[in-house]
Amino acid sequence: MVDRSHKPSAISAKAAGPQPTVDVSDNGVTAKLPTGESVEVLLHGASVISWKSKGEVENLWLSESAVLDGSKPVRGGIPVVFPNFGPAPKDHATSKNPQHGFARNVRWEFLGKSTSEGEASKGSDDSVKLDFGLYSTALSDEARKAWPYDFGLVYSVTLSQEGLRTVLNVRNEGKEAFEFQVLLHTYLRVKDISKTTINGLASATYSDKVLSLPTATQSTPTLSINGEVDRVYKSLAQDTTSVLEGGKPRFDVVRDNLVDTVVWNPWIEKAKGMGDFSPKDGYKNMLCVEVGAVDGWQKLDGGEGWEGGQVIRSLL
Ligand SMILES: O=P(O)(O)OC[C@H]1O[C@H](O)[C@H](O)[C@@H](O)[C@@H]1O
């Protein structure tokens, strides 16, 4: 009789192949796929600070003088903005919070990794998911006083050949309802901002912070960046915002349960004014396309949960 017990099945044969690697340090977590893609996440703010595609192409812009020691938010990568976007409004429960909330400026906990094998028949790739948690009980007394709600956040960063998925899950762990905003403040790396264009915003309504215009409409199908831009595009109909370089697709940013998108480039003067922005002409190599729910507030009753996120595809 033939002993088949050692014959590898299709599944175990695949499992025996190269596996994703995950390195955990005191400061953060790095994951790499056998095909070369990698992601690096700081525990400070659960900020993604590097995402490389096959061929080691860096997709995210990180300032050379970004502060990574936990003393301030990271200038670059993907800081997580929660529970308020921008300066907190005076007449809201978030009013005592810092600009863009506290989540980007506190240490998160690494909850663990999970890997999954792709199935060619389903068109899926190998992937690795890193989960990070932040709970109200971990905040300083001062931060808890400023926003006194019981909450739990789980931020999942999934790396695959297809791209990078980042999803935030918010739970109200208390009895009292709270309101929040969310934004994934992604700094995309581009070769030359003067040749970079954005599609997917046509006819959308936006507010323009540079021109102090509360309401404007995107009249052209393609947006070019020729100067400082700081716009909040609201309730977008299309779920994909595309970034092109020299007319060729470079990134697709796909929103999931998030309807707004901020487009930001500080340009020359604002870049000069930021101590942690360098090189000073770095504005030529970055473009923020920030998916979020920032127009108005999301309300979460006690015991309820909410989830939203993005997939960014690098199209090189
Ligand atoms: O300097 P930060 O607090 O990180 O904010 C950086 C930028 O974030 C968003 O893009 C806002 O729309 C901008 O108004 C702000 O300048």
Side-chain angles (χ1 to χ4, degrees):
M1 209 172 126
V2 182
D3 178 8
R4 293 182 184 275
S5 59
H6 295 294
K7 191 175 176 191
S9 68
I11 293 170
S12 61
K14 188 146 199 273
Q19 297 291 299
T21 55
V22 175
D23 291 315
V24 183
S25 75
D26 257 9
N27 292 331
V29 185
T30 303
K32 194 164 184 177
L33 298 181
T35 38
E37 296 81 1
S38 66
V39 67
E40 196 179 338
V41 187
L42 272 192
L43 291 183
H44 180 63
S47 313
V48 177
I49 54 166
S50 167
W51 163 41
K52 289 182 184 159
S53 300
K54 201 153 83 178
E56 306 276 290
V57 179
E58 178 59 67
N59 294 307
L60 300 176
W61 185 85
L62 179 68
S63 166
E64 286 173 10
S65 52
V67 179
L68 305 180
D69 67 2
S71 60
K72 66 183 286 183
V74 176
R75 178 69 62 205
I78 314 181
V80 177
V81 169
F82 175 92
N84 55 283
F85 164 66
K90 285 195 178 63
D91 56 353
H92 192 263
T94 52
S95 66
K96 296 195 181 77
N97 284 345
Q99 152 116 339
H100 292 341
F102 49 75
R104 65 176 183 163
N105 210 9
V106 292
R107 189 178 164 97
W108 291 51
E109 192 185 322
F110 178 49
L111 302 176
K113 59 165 182 180
S114 46
T115 53
S116 93
E117 281 183 52
E119 284 180 59
S121 61
K122 291 188 184 158
S124 64
D125 304 322
D126 290 352
S127 66
V128 55
K129 179 159 83 78
L130 308 173
D131 287 328
F132 300 86
L134 178 66
Y135 307 95
S136 40
T137 46
L139 295 183
S140 67
D141 290 348
E142 198 189 341
R144 289 205 69 171
K145 242 175 149 178
W147 200 66
Y149 298 98
D150 293 329
F151 68 87
L153 302 181
V154 175
Y155 185 51
S156 303
V157 175
T158 308
L159 174 70
S160 69
Q161 277 176 272
E162 188 210 354
L164 189 73
R165 178 187 295 270
T166 71
V167 175
L168 186 70
N169 182 292
V170 183
R171 281 201 69 78
N172 184 342
E173 306 281 4
K175 291 206 172 78
E176 206 187 330
F178 63 68
E179 289 187 323
F180 66 96
Q181 296 171 322
V182 164
L183 181 93
L184 302 174
H185 198 309
T186 307
Y187 290 71
L188 297 171
R189 174 172 279 279
V190 297
K191 280 207 188 89
D192 180 351
I193 193 71
S194 72
K195 298 196 175 84
T196 304
T197 49
I198 307 172
N199 283 350
L201 304 170
S203 309
T205 304
Y206 64 91
S207 60
D208 191 320
K209 295 197 215 170
V210 177
L211 300 178
S212 299
L213 274 180
T215 312
T217 303
Q218 179 63 40
S219 54
T220 55
T222 298
L223 175 68
S224 307
I225 314 289
N226 312 306
E228 183 188 353
V229 59
D230 191 355
R231 295 180 178 182
V232 183
Y233 286 89
K234 300 169 187 183
S235 302
L236 290 164
Q238 260 177 261
D239 62 9
T240 302
T241 307
S242 303
V243 175
L244 298 91
E245 286 186 342
K248 287 197 200 119
R250 175 65 184 92
F251 296 105
D252 272 349
V253 181
V254 186
R255 284 173 287 104
D256 186 3
N257 199 29
L258 294 171
V259 292
D260 308 320
T261 291
V262 176
V263 177
W264 181 61
N265 184 298
W267 214 250
I268 303 166
E269 291 308 318
K270 282 268 165 69
K272 269 190 207 158
M274 285 183 270
D276 61 352
F277 192 104
S278 65
K280 285 300 168 203
D281 65 357
Y283 70 89
K284 292 178 182 167
N285 301 115
M286 52 77 59
L287 173 66
C288 284
V289 175
E290 313 160 23
V291 302
V294 294
D295 184 32
W297 299 88
Q298 306 295 311
K299 187 176 176 193
L300 210 50
D301 285 328
E304 296 217 319
W306 173 98
E307 194 168 272
Q310 65 178 349
V311 176
I312 316 173
R313 295 199 192 100
S314 172
L315 302 171
L316 280 179

